[in-house]
């Protein structure tokens, strides 16, 4: 989703802003732009599509100056056109913005009535017209910004640049994350630490409602009431932004391949290998917990869906799984003696964050499972459990999924022990099995060449179905999501038993049906559903273990995965499912790491 950068530098800033925008590319965008001040005058360049279009434009029409702002835009209000790209400008002010100004229609009508001419279809443009109006009324930039912020409703982050003010940036955060970077005679604003990491080692995360006035001499921060506040600085590694593909063709390929090692690291971090017991904060206790609510979006939601089975089967704890965007608007009845867990890779997903805020005070404990420990969701939850996946760049989540699963499984085991459903011996046996998973994942990755062939065979399909029972059902949902996200093939995941209640109507000789069926207690049932597909000429591709594949006759294609204890199968089966989508996308020539229309971090509702 939109990325923001602002720099008061000592040298020319346009190339530095462009580099920062490259680091923000992973968030997803469809246009980009930069504005700078040169000899006091504001100039901007904007381009649709990938950043090379903007950098090409800067070659023919360079931007000079030591102060500037930049933006990658993920279109919400108004198509991806040059006119809608940021920075937006009115009079002396320019702005880059992430989020939505919810009252923009009323503001636009008011400003239009005052004679302001709008150049774009965006909500953002209202911000600079308000600023311009206040500046024309004689307010200085700081007062104009304060007056403007007071008029804005919605969730947003923004950064303002003013003509004639070579030593001033004003930044504000309400709902969307924003950080201020401190330099020696320099100052920075960025959407995240990755944007700022090579520029500075000291950053301050703005808190909800904060706004900041930056000069090269330092930053003054004010809270929502306008009172000056002191916010701590955190140190970031300059190398934090050095995420590279390490020789892989795509970040997604690298992130898939990292999973065995990362899973080992997660297990280590939570001391799954030690006899001292799991390393979880003291606040995590499931004794007396009457119900668990798991809330997330996208792939993280499917991780919750898998985890529901663990919490219910191993810990006998009732679980509700919730899509974050639906959660609070339903006015759900929450268990006073329950626990709510919010799962998010980025820790910034607007719906998940809003759901967390809704649940606070209504349940006994609010926990998050996050990849970015400095994120809003991590900071606003009572306990934040890191998944240790490292920076995930591919828009389609892969390694975060399996690391989320690992942390949720560790919590389920703790819940089982706390609730008296797992003796110390049984716990040790479970942990020993869990420690075997990274090796099984590594074995599963060896199937990549076979998966590449299978993917090329499904790449021409218009529709693909994924079927599974038990924990393979949410994995079928995740498999379908992965495939549609990056290859743009229409795909649906179904509980295998549900097939005959509708989706079977889609089956013909053209529709590949991926059946996820380890040899477990539900295998025979899934095989029956598979037969129903085959009886209608469906092209079945079975993912099972060697025994499961041997028992299934007459199928179109099969892939023998490592044999794994049924309760751990989701962690292993996730990898071939991801690789299938990856190779299908390669076969179709799509943009694997930045698929069209998608954003990595969804900071709007
Ligand atoms: C976006 C991403 C998905 C991700 C979802 C939830 O849609 O493209 O990969 O699963 O957001 O994101 P979160 O950061 O909250 O896990």
């Amino acid at each position: 989703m939109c990325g923001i950068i602002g720099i008061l530098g000592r040298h020319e800033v346009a190339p530095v802003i462009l580099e920062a925008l490259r680091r923000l590319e992973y968030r997803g965008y469809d246009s980009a732009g930069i504005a700078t001040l040169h000899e006091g005058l504001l100039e901007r360049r904007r381009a649709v599509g990938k950043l090379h279009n903007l950098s090409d434009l800067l070659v023919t029409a360079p931007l000079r100056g030591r102060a500037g702002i930049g933006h990658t835009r993920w279109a919400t209000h108004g198509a991806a056109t040059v006119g809608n790209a940021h920075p937006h400008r009115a009079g002396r002010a320019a702005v880059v913005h992430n989020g939505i100004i919810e009252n923009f229609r009323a503001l636009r009508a008011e400003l239009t009535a005052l004679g302001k001419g709008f150049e774009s279809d965006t909500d953002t443009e209202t911000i600079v017209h308000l600023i311009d109006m206040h500046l024309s009324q004689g307010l200085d930039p700081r007062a104009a910004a304060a007056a403007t912020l007071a008029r804005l409703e919605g969730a947003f982050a923004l950064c303002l640049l003013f003509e004639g003010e070579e030593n001033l940036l004003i930044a504000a955060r309400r709902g969307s994350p924003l950080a201020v970077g401190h330099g020696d005679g320099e100052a920075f604003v960025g959407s995240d630490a990755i944007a700022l990491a090579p520029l500075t080692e000291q950053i301050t995360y703005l808190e909800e409602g904060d706004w900041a006035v930056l000069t090269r001499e330092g930053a003054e921060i004010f809270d929502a009431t306008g009172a000056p506040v002191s916010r701590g600085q955190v140190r970031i590694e300059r190398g934090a932004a050095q995420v590279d593909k390490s020789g892989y063709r795509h970040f997604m390929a690298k992130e898939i391949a990292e999973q065995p090692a990362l899973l080992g690291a997660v297990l280590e971090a939570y001391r799954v290998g030690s006899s001292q017991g799991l390393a979880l904060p003291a606040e995590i206790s499931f004794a007396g917990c009457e119900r668990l609510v798991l809330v997330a979006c996208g792939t993280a939601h499917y991780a919750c869906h898998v985890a529901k089975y663990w919490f219910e089967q191993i810990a006998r704890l009732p679980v509700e799984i919730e899509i974050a965007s639906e959660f609070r608007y339903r006015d759900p009845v929450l268990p006073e003696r329950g626990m709510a867990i919010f799962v998010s890779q980025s820790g910034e997903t607007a719906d998940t964050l809003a759901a967390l805020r809704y649940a606070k005070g209504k349940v006994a404990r609010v926990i998050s499972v996050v990849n970015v420990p400095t994120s809003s969701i991590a900071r606003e939850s009572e306990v934040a459990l890191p998944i240790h996946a490292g920076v995930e760049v591919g828009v389609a989540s892969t390694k975060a999924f399996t690391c989320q699963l690992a942390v949720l499984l560790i919590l389920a085991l703790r819940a089982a022990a706390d609730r008296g459903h797992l003796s110390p011996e049984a716990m040790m046996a479970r942990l020993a099995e869990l420690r075997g998973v990274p090796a099984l994942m590594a074995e599963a990755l060896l199937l990549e060449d076979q998966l590449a062939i299978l993917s090329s065979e499904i790449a021409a399909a218009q529709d693909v179905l994924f079927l599974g029972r038990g924990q393979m059902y949410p994995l079928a949902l995740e498999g379908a999501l992965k495939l549609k996200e990056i290859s743009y093939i229409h795909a649906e995941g179904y509980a295998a038993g549900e097939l005959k209640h509708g989706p079977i109507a889609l089956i013909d000789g053209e529709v590949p049906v991926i059946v996820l069926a380890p040899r477990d207690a539900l295998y025979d049932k899934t095989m029956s559903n598979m037969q129903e597909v085959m009886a209608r000429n469906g092209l079945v591709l079975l993912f099972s273990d060697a025994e499961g594949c041997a028992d299934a006759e007459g199928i179109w294609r099969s892939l023998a995965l490592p044999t794994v204890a049924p309760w751990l199968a989701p962690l292993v089966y996730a990898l071939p499912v991801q690789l299938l989508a990856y190779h299908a996308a390669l076969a179709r020539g799509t943009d694997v790491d930045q698929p069209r229309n998608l954003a990595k971090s969804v900071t709007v509702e």
Side-chain angles (χ1 to χ4, degrees):
M1 209 132 274
C2 302
I4 289 177
I5 180 83
I7 302 181
L8 295 174
R10 282 182 292 184
H11 309 287
E12 292 292 309
V13 287
V16 188
I17 291 177
L18 192 63
E19 272 315 300
L21 293 182
R22 283 194 221 288
R23 291 191 296 278
L24 288 167
E25 271 192 301
Y26 79 97
R27 297 161 73 94
Y29 70 106
D30 31 43
S31 61
I34 297 179
T36 58
L37 282 182
H38 181 50
E39 294 174 353
L41 293 180
L42 223 165
E43 267 203 77
R44 58 186 170 152
R45 305 283 181 265
R46 299 174 294 169
V48 171
K50 293 293 176 195
L51 273 179
H52 61 78
N53 296 331
L54 180 63
S55 60
D56 287 352
L57 180 62
L58 287 168
V59 171
T60 51
L63 278 177
R64 301 278 321 274
R66 298 187 302 122
I69 52 179
H71 191 258
T72 47
R73 172 174 189 252
W74 186 83
T76 58
H77 293 76
T81 59
V82 171
N84 287 331
H86 300 211
H88 285 283
R89 176 188 186 167
R92 286 176 53 210
V95 70
V96 286
H97 158 229
N98 172 20
I100 294 176
I101 307 301
E102 286 175 355
N103 59 335
F104 86 98
R105 282 188 188 81
L107 292 173
R108 194 174 168 120
E110 178 187 323
L111 290 159
T112 307
L114 291 172
K116 302 282 182 193
F118 278 77
E119 293 174 354
S120 76
D121 308 316
T122 65
D123 51 334
T124 307
E125 202 184 337
T126 55
I127 304 170
V128 270
H129 281 296
L130 282 172
I131 296 271
D132 183 44
M133 182 180 81
H134 292 303
L135 290 174
S136 340
Q137 289 164 351
L139 269 58
D140 66 15
R142 182 190 289 225
T148 298
L149 289 170
R151 299 290 316 276
L152 304 179
E153 289 169 18
F156 55 82
L158 57 83
C159 184
L160 293 157
L161 181 70
F162 300 86
E163 195 160 65
E165 301 283 349
E166 301 250 11
N167 192 20
L168 179 69
L169 287 176
I170 296 185
R173 177 211 160 128
R174 199 185 299 161
S176 297
L178 200 62
V180 167
H182 309 278
D184 181 10
E186 296 181 304
F188 312 95
V189 173
S191 291
D192 59 26
I194 295 180
L196 296 175
L199 304 171
T200 176
E201 288 181 343
Q202 293 295 333
I203 66 170
T204 298
Y205 286 99
L206 293 185
E207 296 198 359
E208 197 45 27
D210 283 357
W211 58 288
V213 177
L214 283 85
T215 65
R216 289 182 181 80
E217 290 68 51
E220 289 174 87
I221 303 178
F222 305 90
D223 68 12
T225 68
V229 282
S230 160
R231 305 282 185 223
Q233 294 188 12
V234 294
R235 195 182 140 78
I236 51 167
E237 295 297 325
R238 280 186 195 258
Q242 283 168 1
V243 276
D244 58 35
K245 294 182 195 150
S246 310
Y248 287 89
R249 196 165 151 196
H250 296 98
F251 279 107
M252 185 179 181
K254 176 192 165 210
E255 288 160 3
I256 291 173
E258 282 173 340
Q259 291 175 99
L262 285 172
L263 204 88
V266 182
L267 301 185
E268 177 111 24
Y270 287 92
R271 282 215 309 262
V272 164
S274 117
S275 53
Q276 312 294 311
L278 295 169
L280 285 167
E283 296 95 323
I284 307 271
S285 167
F286 292 86
C289 173
E290 62 183 28
R291 197 147 51 93
L292 185 60
V293 182
L294 300 176
V295 189
C297 296
T299 288
H301 173 72
Y302 293 143
C304 293
H305 200 153
V306 172
K308 175 180 167 76
Y309 291 77
W310 285 322
F311 281 105
E312 293 192 340
Q313 290 173 354
I314 308 174
R316 307 307 299 153
L317 178 60
V319 175
E320 281 163 24
I321 41 170
E322 302 272 359
I323 293 172
S325 54
E326 288 293 317
F327 181 62
R328 68 194 191 286
Y329 297 119
R330 214 180 64 233
D331 199 7
V333 181
L334 294 177
E336 261 177 52
R337 283 185 292 132
M339 197 187 269
I341 304 184
F342 297 83
V343 182
S344 174
Q345 186 284 126
S346 62
E348 300 294 351
T349 301
D351 284 314
T352 312
L353 180 58
L356 182 151
R357 289 176 180 158
Y358 176 91
K360 268 186 170 176
K362 298 188 178 78
V363 289
R365 191 64 85 220
V366 166
I367 293 171
S368 64
V369 171
V370 286
N371 196 27
V372 182
T374 49
S375 62
S376 306
I377 290 175
R379 285 183 288 134
E380 293 195 28
S381 51
E382 292 164 50
V383 183
L385 299 172
I387 63 166
H388 300 290
V391 177
E392 189 180 65
V393 176
V395 165
S397 190
T398 53
K399 61 178 182 172
F401 178 66
T402 43
C403 291
Q404 285 161 350
L405 286 182
V407 174
L408 290 166
L409 176 51
I410 287 166
L411 285 172
L413 292 173
R414 164 57 69 84
D418 288 352
R419 294 164 60 80
H421 292 289
L422 204 58
S423 66
E425 299 71 39
M427 172 71 98
M428 292 314 278
R430 292 262 188 189
L431 295 181
E433 268 190 306
L434 179 52
R435 287 198 299 277
V437 167
L440 296 174
M441 282 177 144
E443 242 183 87
L445 289 179
L446 298 176
L447 299 168
E448 178 155 7
D449 289 347
Q450 288 179 60
L451 278 157
I453 295 167
L454 294 170
S455 300
S456 66
E457 293 182 313
I458 65 161
Q462 294 222 324
D463 306 283
V464 173
L465 291 182
F466 285 75
L467 301 180
R469 278 178 181 260
Q471 287 185 310
M472 288 296 123
Y473 163 41
L475 209 62
L477 297 172
E478 170 61 5
L481 178 66
K482 276 297 80 88
L483 188 66
K484 69 181 125 186
E485 274 182 314
I486 59 168
S487 75
Y488 316 146
I489 298 173
H490 171 241
E492 299 294 340
Y494 275 96
E498 191 66 10
L499 177 76
K500 49 194 158 307
H501 299 292
I504 200 162
L506 298 174
I507 304 290
D508 63 19
E510 308 287 306
V511 180
V513 181
I514 322 283
V515 179
L516 308 175
R519 194 98 177 69
D520 59 13
L522 298 170
Y523 174 83
D524 289 337
K525 304 272 179 213
T526 312
M527 288 304 103
S528 302
N529 303 130
M530 194 176 85
Q531 291 301 330
E532 293 157 8
V533 173
M534 287 160 61
R536 288 158 184 87
N537 298 323
L539 301 171
V540 168
L541 163 48
L542 174 66
F543 283 16
S544 186
D545 39 53
E547 203 188 334
C549 287
D551 279 0
E553 285 173 2
I555 48 179
W556 178 56
R557 300 283 183 266
S558 64
L559 186 77
L561 295 170
T563 303
V564 50
W567 67 291
L568 295 170
L571 285 158
V572 176
Y573 278 59
L575 276 56
V577 159
Q578 296 163 352
L579 282 170
L580 188 77
Y582 174 69
H583 284 282
L586 283 189
R588 288 171 70 104
T590 52
D591 188 345
V592 172
D593 283 335
Q594 290 164 30
R596 69 183 179 207
N597 304 339
L598 294 181
K600 180 75 188 153
S601 169
V602 179
T603 49
V604 294
E605 276 197 51

